[in-house]
Amino acid sequence: MTTVREGEQVPEGRQVTGEPDELYERLKAFEGRAAATAGTGKDPVNEPMIRHWCEAMGDTNPAYSGPEAIAPPTMLQAWTMGGLSGHTDRSAAYEELFGLLDGAGYTSVVATDCEQEYLRPLRPGDRITFDAVIESVSERKTTRLGTGYFVTTRMDIRADGVRAGTHRFRILKYTPAAPKRSEPKRSESRRTEPRRTGPERAARGEGRSLRPRPVINRDNAGFWQGVAEHRLLIQRCGDCATLRFPWLPGCNACGCQEWDTVEASGEGTVFSHVVMHHPPFPAFGADGAGGPYAVALIELAEGVRMVSNVIGVPYDKVRTGMPVRLEFLRTDPDLELPVFRGGEG
């Protein structure tokens, strides 16, 4: 998910100050008004959804299974979501607020962050109800994506009438920034460099956009060091020896913070996958066209799962259960990534 911090500024374009913002005054009036009233979760808390969530996340915590199971706390929002049929409980004030933003040209939207507070565990059978309020609307901000307003809603969630948690969700409604065009450099000489071939340009990182850089911190630096050495490293708990991926500071199974690593064999299968059609992102297409391309959840032979691209087969030939083999793909001079080559066998 694309993340934009509320205070982030575009280096080449600052927010205009000193000008009255009449729209902001109108938007500010919506703070404190209901976004949803007497909302009801479409399903009670249930074991199948908990099981699917844990399988997708690779979370094996024993608290989430068995006769005394609770739901993972981070599922808090899942019980309130509208699904493919959408929401029917949004208030007139919520619709009016977003109608104002759309009418003023702030038609694009990106989720930026969320905050959750857990007050009681949720258990299978709990009936979920909720109310939501438009908590705040920021002043007009300029970000790397464009100029717009951050809108924060707060949802108070109840289980069988008892408060169970709070979910704050923040989005940016914005007008996309115009792409920056660079003027061709003029030269007094008509002499030009030889035209490079496509592979030569790709090797130099020219003529195409670059993939996003990974965020490297103290918790995952060892993983990226392994990638640089063409090794796919998996964490192993120093107490119970449970393998885990992605890298975390502690063990999900026993809580131990001691760990070492094992190197993956590189063998795996496609556990599930999606095909990205839109928006086109040239950096992810081998031909620079930007898609479609396959993104898969790979189950490694060691039993952990990771998200990566499947290469070597057409996107529409990727299948669940397809055997894959680890490779390291240099996408540009400064970035190399683990990917998986598909096979038909």
Side-chain angles (χ1 to χ4, degrees):
M1 178 179 72
T2 302
T3 302
V4 180
R5 298 297 180 187
E6 184 170 330
E8 185 176 3
Q9 300 292 314
V10 179
E12 61 270 20
R14 295 185 178 181
Q15 176 180 337
V16 177
T17 59
E19 294 183 1
D21 186 354
E22 295 180 1
L23 178 61
Y24 173 64
E25 297 303 323
R26 297 176 66 187
L27 300 174
K28 193 76 172 172
F30 285 88
E31 290 186 347
R33 297 179 66 179
T37 303
T40 303
K42 291 191 173 183
D43 296 285
V45 178
N46 61 85
E47 294 179 4
M49 285 179 66
I50 294 173
R51 184 178 69 254
H52 294 326
W53 175 282
C54 290
E55 287 181 355
M57 297 298 178
D59 195 335
T60 58
N61 192 317
Y64 306 145
S65 61
E68 302 298 324
I70 63 173
T74 50
M75 286 188 73
L76 185 66
Q77 184 191 19
W79 311 110
T80 69
M81 297 179 75
L84 294 177
S85 58
H87 289 277
T88 59
D89 46 29
R90 286 175 172 166
S91 69
Y94 184 91
E95 300 292 350
E96 185 180 350
L97 169 64
F98 282 83
L100 277 175
L101 287 164
D102 288 340
Y106 302 97
T107 54
S108 296
V109 62
V110 62
T112 62
D113 56 283
C114 68
E115 303 169 8
Q116 293 183 338
E117 179 184 9
Y118 312 118
L119 302 177
R120 75 179 277 280
L122 296 179
R123 295 181 169 83
D126 284 344
R127 290 281 177 178
I128 301 300
T129 56
F130 57 89
D131 296 303
V133 64
I134 302 166
E135 189 169 65
S136 66
V137 182
S138 76
E139 296 180 355
R140 187 171 56 210
K141 303 284 186 178
T142 300
T143 73
R144 296 184 184 275
L145 291 180
T147 298
Y149 300 84
F150 288 86
V151 179
T152 304
T153 54
R154 187 192 75 241
M155 181 179 290
D156 296 313
I157 299 168
R158 297 177 295 276
D160 293 331
V162 179
R163 284 193 65 200
T166 300
H167 176 78
R168 283 182 174 84
F169 195 67
R170 185 172 296 109
I171 65 171
L172 172 65
K173 285 283 285 179
Y174 67 100
T175 300
K180 185 180 179 182
R181 296 183 178 180
S182 57
E183 293 293 330
K185 294 183 179 180
R186 297 180 178 231
S187 173
E188 295 180 359
S189 172
R190 301 181 66 87
R191 181 181 177 184
T192 59
E193 295 183 3
R195 183 181 296 274
R196 296 190 181 96
T197 65
E200 288 173 337
R201 289 170 60 82
R204 293 171 61 92
E206 299 175 356
R208 62 180 298 178
S209 59
L210 302 181
R211 293 199 186 195
R213 308 293 95 172
V215 176
I216 301 177
N217 54 41
R218 64 181 181 181
D219 292 329
N220 66 11
F223 169 77
W224 290 107
Q225 179 61 40
V227 170
E229 300 169 355
H230 286 189
R231 303 167 64 215
L232 183 61
L233 299 179
I234 305 170
Q235 281 183 309
R236 177 173 58 190
C237 176
D239 188 6
C240 68
T242 298
L243 300 181
R244 64 178 185 263
F245 193 91
W247 283 35
L248 295 170
C251 178
N252 280 330
C254 70
C256 176
Q257 295 185 351
E258 300 297 326
W259 53 270
D260 60 5
T261 62
V262 296
E263 183 175 353
S265 67
E267 302 291 340
T269 56
V270 174
F271 184 82
S272 65
H273 75 282
V274 296
V275 175
M276 301 298 296
H277 291 270
H278 183 81
F281 194 176
F284 284 87
D287 58 358
Y293 56 91
V295 180
L297 181 63
I298 304 297
E299 184 162 74
L300 300 177
E302 291 73 20
V304 299
R305 298 171 189 155
M306 67 177 291
V307 175
S308 185
N309 290 118
V310 176
I311 64 172
V313 294
Y315 68 87
D316 57 351
K317 299 299 182 183
V318 177
R319 295 288 184 268
T320 298
M322 172 182 284
V324 292
R325 176 72 186 177
L326 173 69
E327 291 187 8
F328 292 89
L329 174 67
R330 182 164 294 281
T331 63
D332 61 67
D334 299 318
L335 183 63
E336 196 166 18
L337 296 171
V339 297
F340 290 85
R341 182 169 294 275
E344 300 292 343

